Amino acid sequence: DAGVIQSPRHEVTEMGQEVTLRCKPISGHDYLFWYRQTMMRGLELLIYFNNNVPIDDSGMPEDRFSAKMPNASFSTLKIQPSEPRDSAVYFCASRLDRAFTDTQYFGPGTRLTVL
Amino acid sequence: AQSVTQLDSQVPVFEEAPVELRCNYSSSVSVYLFWYVQYPNQGLQLLLKYLSGSTLVKGINGFEAEFNKSQTSFHLRKPSVHISDTAEYFCAVSDRSAGGGNKLTFGTGTQLKVEL
């Protein structure tokens, strides 16, 4: 089975531009998570979905950030407008709904650079 | 709320030597504990997790960790490391509630560098 797929792997954009990051979870997984990794703050949970419904978005830093999951096989994280401090690696992860202690499987990440 | 402290940001070690990566946590409730590994330019992979039962947990690639409730620690060990173990290692915690279990709190990571 393919793992979690993220695109693009690298994104370089200019301040003020809209950025859209994409994630395809492992087929059959019910939960999807978006994380951000920076040197200063480490790895932080931004938002997670269960059966395509956002459950907890308390980690989303600002209104400039939004996430959607229109169906079970696709999610987006959008930043509009982007700022240099948004530069980070963004990870998507997914897991089954058998138990919340089940393993979260991470994608390879999208490295975002905002100039 | 929980927090995780990984005191060592970098740990250099020679190949075939033993290694211990330290992790301490703080929580007002019972927790689950995890160790993840991140190889360069890759996502995180689960090494092992402690849910309940035996305090000694064995994971993949020869790693093990011991849960010590009194010291609130969950140190990761390997008796003999290999060059391929060079990576960043993250300790993580979640509380045992149904909602909290989805929210992993990660430490800042320990970079393990294995040298010849």
Side-chain angles (χ1 to χ4, degrees):
Chain A
D1 280 339
V4 175
I5 299 172
Q6 293 186 246
S7 64
R9 291 295 308 276
H10 302 273
E11 176 82 30
V12 180
T13 191
E14 293 189 348
M15 184 174 63
Q17 296 298 307
E18 177 180 295
V19 175
T20 300
L21 311 181
R22 298 173 176 80
C23 174
K24 177 178 169 58
I26 293 173
S27 178
H29 281 195
D30 306 282
Y31 280 85
L32 184 139
F33 304 82
W34 281 102
Y35 291 88
R36 178 173 67 174
Q37 185 179 39
T38 62
M39 290 293 291
M40 292 297 294
R41 300 175 66 88
L43 198 63
E44 307 171 280
L45 175 66
L46 299 177
I47 185 172
Y48 74 90
F49 296 82
N50 178 218
N51 291 324
N52 314 335
V53 176
I55 303 300
D56 188 332
D57 65 354
S58 59
M60 296 285 264
E62 299 173 34
D63 291 344
R64 298 184 297 106
F65 285 70
S66 62
K68 293 183 180 179
M69 193 165 185
N71 57 62
S73 59
F74 184 65
S75 177
T76 59
L77 178 67
K78 187 176 292 187
I79 308 173
Q80 166 64 17
S82 59
E83 297 183 2
R85 60 195 167 117
D86 302 330
S87 297
V89 181
Y90 291 82
F91 290 102
C92 176
S94 69
R95 72 161 181 83
L96 285 167
D97 193 18
R98 293 174 308 187
F100 56 83
T101 54
D102 272 350
T103 300
Q104 292 186 25
Y105 292 87
F106 283 73
T110 295
R111 183 173 296 275
L112 173 65
T113 302
V114 183
L115 303 175
Chain B
Q2 300 86 40
S3 66
V4 177
T5 301
Q6 292 181 248
L7 288 172
D8 305 305
S9 59
Q10 291 187 356
V11 173
V13 62
F14 288 109
E15 193 173 35
E16 297 184 4
V19 70
E20 179 179 84
L21 305 183
R22 297 181 293 169
C23 172
N24 288 89
Y25 69 93
S26 173
S27 177
S28 57
V29 299
S30 295
V31 297
Y32 297 115
L33 293 155
F34 307 80
W35 274 101
Y36 280 83
V37 60
Q38 184 180 27
Y39 298 103
N41 300 314
Q42 294 186 27
L44 280 70
Q45 300 175 31
L46 181 69
L47 272 179
L48 48 80
K49 58 186 174 183
Y50 172 76
L51 306 181
S52 63
S54 173
T55 57
L56 184 63
V57 181
K58 294 190 183 297
I60 62 172
N61 300 341
F63 284 92
E64 63 182 31
E66 185 154 20
F67 171 57
N68 187 318
K69 188 175 181 180
S70 62
Q71 297 187 5
T72 60
S73 67
F74 190 54
H75 300 332
L76 182 71
R77 303 185 184 100
K78 186 169 182 178
S80 175
V81 296
H82 189 266
I83 285 285
S84 60
D85 293 323
T86 295
E88 188 144 21
Y89 293 79
F90 292 89
C91 183
V93 63
S94 71
D95 74 46
R96 288 178 175 253
S97 67
N102 279 311
K103 300 181 74 168
L104 291 173
T105 299
F106 286 87
T108 51
T110 297
Q111 179 66 43
L112 175 64
K113 184 173 181 181
V114 181
E115 302 168 350
L116 293 172

